[in-house]
Amino acid sequence: MAEPVVAVIGAGQAGFQAASSLRQEGFGGRVVLIGDEPVLPYQRPPLSKSYLAGQCGLDEVWLRPENFYEKQNIELLTGETVTAIDRRGRAVRLASGTAIECDHIVLATGARCRALPVAGAELDGVLPLRTLADADLLRERLAAAREVVVVGAGFIGLEFASVAIAAGCAVRIVEVTHQPMGRVVSAEISRYFTERHRAWGAEILLGTGVVRVRGDGNRATAVETSDGRIFPADLVLVCIGVIPNVELARDAGLAADNGIVVDETLHTAAPEITAIGDCANFPTRFAAGRVRLESVQNGVDQAREVAAHIAGKRVGVYDKVPWFWSDQRDLKLQIAGITTGHDRAVLRGDSDSGSFSVFCFKGERLLGVESVNRPADHILARRLLALADPGLSPAQAADASYDLRAHLTPRR
Amino acid sequence: MPSITYVHTDGSREVLDVPVGTSVMRGAVLNSVDGIVAECGGEMMCATCHVDVDEAYVDRMPAQSDDEKAMLEFTASERKPNSRLSCQLVVTPEMDGLVVYLPESQV
């Protein structure tokens, strides 16, 4: 029998992890890792943080050096686009004209930046931030920029804003909702970060949209907002969310609805095709329904799960506690669990001290914990949330003298 | 360049020259040392770059931050008094000869 072949489509953090975990799990067949960017697989988190700020170089961005792939016998195809999945022929077709016959396909196709749907969005100086190439261009433009407008106050926008302020730029953040990072954090954390960014010198316009980017020739010069104001800008960062890359799956007849639809084992309706990371829409006990998560943890843990499955080591339900982080100036925000839908937010610690956590409950049940410069709470929350029932009450969470460890069973 | 020895659980050793200013974690990653995962890239979010520092070198290591102490509670393998996150061990000339032991598992 011919050796089995796994094609991993997408060479971001999830795809990279799937390929390397296949080897760690002892998979002996062919592993082909296909990425459309012309560079080695790299980490995205530093692109809006230390790499953007010039505090680290490329060596610290690559996930592994080039020789790793040879050493692990992973066939890495960079700058290569998959044009179609041929389910009948069990193959993936490449833009370069060849096809790779395979027994398993791991879809780690990621997501792409949502474009700003207004006139002038195509002007020079209006930039996205997702890829290494985006970050390189942004870093170059930031060095010369004086007035920056950030469209969208999510993690990326706020991380970028804190770097731009530190670089000496005047920064305005335009957010269409009334709650920065509102899709992922409680009102309390949102308010705290909004205040901090204002104290650092950013102007934040909430409940405000962008209606046009104005330019001189092909160069952006100003942003016009929904309340009729005009803000000069020589650099506009657009970070208004992403669109999952579902086209390959959909064209192959697989379901897509805010991501590629998979079951609790991360399989699509086709038993030989899994989807992981930013592109995957999966059911989880950590949320009310299905979710699609954009995080290192989610990509890496899901990659390990499918690799173990393909290698025949484990067949189970994907059940890892989601966690996220963001670095903004001297604030480290760490989130354990998914706090969306909470109806009670309990403060632990003192927000004036700059070190506190918000424990989010739905009724009596702990959904998640958002910590600012309070890593011990975060770690404990990850362990609590892994339990079938954390058993922590809102009153206990609010009582700073109450030892949260009482809820943990001995680890081993 | 300081020489760092990474000892695998089977006793095999990899001896690497790691530049001053680079972390013990990054030194391992750049040389594809098995047994250092470093999934968060040195942000102290994951505890998958856990090492045990040889007793002879413990005193030459930088002090542990509160973040590192908290994260060390989350290691997949047993935490020992000499356990550290290797992303926090930035190599100095005094660390030349350092020996670190890789744990059974990082995840």
Side-chain angles (χ1 to χ4, degrees), chain A residues 13 17 24 43 45-46 49-50 59-65 67-69 71-72 296-297 300-301 304 323-325 327 332-335 373 375-376 378-380 382-383 405 411-412, chain B residues 14 21-23 25-26 28-48 65-79 106-107:
Chain A
Q13 187 130 19
Q17 188 66 50
Q24 279 151 22
Q43 308 175 68
K49 308 179 182 82
S50 53
D59 269 3
E60 297 188 42
V61 170
W62 306 132
L63 281 158
R64 289 293 182 276
N67 67 13
F68 170 84
Y69 301 93
K71 200 170 155 181
Q72 293 289 318
V296 167
Q297 173 278 324
V300 167
D301 281 337
R304 289 201 183 104
W323 51 261
F324 313 82
W325 85 93
D327 293 318
K332 184 170 200 120
L333 171 63
Q334 299 173 295
I335 303 168
N373 292 354
H378 173 71
I379 292 312
L380 200 90
R382 271 156 68 171
R383 291 170 62 182
R405 287 158 195 279
R411 289 175 66 194
R412 57 180 73 84
Chain B
E14 288 185 73
T22 300
S23 70
M25 174 276 277
R26 185 60 53 188
V29 167
L30 287 172
N31 290 282
S32 306
V33 172
D34 261 353
I36 294 283
V37 175
E39 78 185 39
C40 78
E43 296 284 339
M44 275 190 290
M45 287 298 297
C46 70
T48 63
S65 65
D66 289 345
D67 280 28
E68 184 183 350
K69 284 178 192 157
M71 219 47 248
L72 279 166
E73 299 206 4
F74 214 65
T75 54
S77 300
E78 186 193 349
R79 176 191 188 176
Q106 296 281 12
V107 294

